[in-house]
Amino acid sequence: MNYSVGQVAGFAGVTVRTLHHYDDIGLLVPSERSHAGHRRYSDTDLDRLQQILFYRQLGFPLDEVAALLDDPDADPRAHLRRQHELLTARIEKLQKMAAAVEHAMEARTMGLKLTPEERFEVFGDNDPEQYAEEVEERWGDTDEYADSQRRTASYTKEDWKRIQAEAADWGERYGALMAADEPPTGEAAMTLAEEHRQHICTWFYECSYEIHRCLGEMYVSDERFKAFYDVLRPGLAEHLRDAIVANAARHTS
């Protein structure tokens, strides 16, 4: 059997645009074409796509994926062994990164007025005020810190749950954007970068484009923030930083 590009996109959970791109760069060239010139994918093509998406999920650049799959000395069993090794390493890394996520709570949890029971319900085992002293030391003399303190002091449990839900939804959509190989300078990435800025403006303080750029740099330079974003998808911190810069440029130029 063979399948259309639309069918394959549906099977694999990728966009037609991504499949076109893979064809254009020679990473996944469909085995056949219809009489009208439309792409037709075989089962062998689907096997290769599965391998591509696996390595992409692990954060491999497309050129490295092509080199791995086109290695004449490799066989399917070798790929399976390598994937098992990579997955094991990824699991170990994620376990370490999960422990670091709590450090990023400083960006969201200033001025909490929740009961101990409510804090546990909203934040689980994380101590929302663990880094309160550091936050005050770094930003305590800024208008943004004062604004954030004023706003969050009145937030209820439901407010914090909504904040976390919005952030989680944004993270899923940004991860999907990266999975589709959208560039950080593209419209889709800049739109999500702007949504990120607006989330801060809505819930914490007025985040100017200049401040947003500074935050983007911190997401990369501060290992705690980098771990928080990269646990969503490897490389997300750098991708978001570049999208923030591009979005700021288009609004301030």
Side-chain angles (χ1 to χ4, degrees):
M1 293 184 64
N2 56 50
Y3 310 92
S4 70
V5 66
Q7 287 175 309
V8 174
F11 296 156
V14 298
T15 64
V16 170
R17 176 182 174 184
T18 294
L19 294 175
H20 286 177
H21 179 58
Y22 289 171
D23 185 7
D24 292 340
I25 65 175
L27 180 60
L28 179 66
V29 178
S31 299
E32 301 177 30
R33 294 271 179 169
S34 69
H35 293 301
H38 298 146
R39 297 169 174 86
R40 303 295 299 183
Y41 293 82
S42 67
D43 288 331
T44 300
D45 296 331
L46 295 185
D47 288 340
R48 183 176 175 90
L49 177 59
Q50 184 180 41
Q51 298 292 327
I52 292 169
L53 296 180
F54 176 84
Y55 284 117
R56 290 296 288 149
Q57 187 68 27
L58 289 172
F60 280 68
L62 292 177
D63 56 345
E64 291 186 22
V65 175
L68 285 167
L69 296 183
D70 294 334
D71 182 356
D73 296 325
D75 60 35
R77 288 173 298 179
H79 278 299
L80 287 173
R81 285 193 298 269
R82 177 164 179 76
Q83 289 170 2
H84 183 269
E85 293 170 359
L86 291 170
L87 280 173
T88 300
R90 178 76 176 275
I91 289 170
E92 293 176 355
K93 181 179 179 181
L94 287 175
Q95 288 173 335
K96 293 178 181 179
M97 292 175 70
V101 170
E102 62 187 81
H103 297 303
M105 295 301 297
E106 64 182 77
R108 304 181 186 176
T109 57
M110 296 178 289
L112 286 178
K113 299 299 181 184
L114 301 179
T115 67
E117 292 79 11
E118 288 175 329
R119 290 189 188 191
F120 183 82
E121 181 179 346
V122 175
F123 299 107
D125 293 331
N126 295 309
D127 179 359
E129 294 186 344
Q130 182 176 1
Y131 298 96
E133 184 176 341
E134 179 186 347
V135 172
E136 184 171 4
E137 181 179 341
R138 293 175 68 174
W139 299 298
D141 60 349
T142 65
D143 292 338
E144 289 75 24
Y145 176 84
D147 190 17
S148 182
Q149 286 285 88
R150 177 184 58 79
R151 294 194 202 183
T152 58
S154 63
Y155 286 172
T156 65
K157 176 184 67 175
E158 294 306 317
D159 290 327
W160 287 107
K161 290 175 71 173
R162 180 179 173 186
I163 290 170
Q164 288 196 309
E166 289 180 3
D169 175 70
W170 176 90
E172 289 181 4
R173 288 184 285 121
Y174 206 100
L177 175 147
M178 290 183 64
D181 294 316
E182 291 285 351
T185 55
E187 185 70 25
M190 289 191 291
T191 297
L192 281 184
E194 176 63 18
E195 184 177 325
H196 182 277
R197 188 185 74 86
Q198 290 293 340
H199 179 82
I200 298 172
C201 292
T202 299
W203 291 104
F204 298 103
Y205 55 84
E206 189 59 34
C207 181
S208 67
Y209 289 104
E210 180 180 359
I211 291 175
H212 204 210
R213 279 196 295 262
C214 292
L215 289 176
E217 292 299 332
M218 184 175 67
Y219 296 157
V220 174
S221 62
D222 189 315
E223 287 301 319
R224 295 169 298 182
F225 282 97
K226 190 175 189 301
F228 172 76
Y229 283 107
D230 283 356
V231 79
L232 299 175
R233 185 176 180 85
L236 196 151
E238 286 86 354
H239 196 285
L240 173 59
R241 186 269 313 276
D242 294 345
I244 287 173
V245 171
N247 180 60
R250 71 170 176 171
H251 282 96
T252 57
S253 60

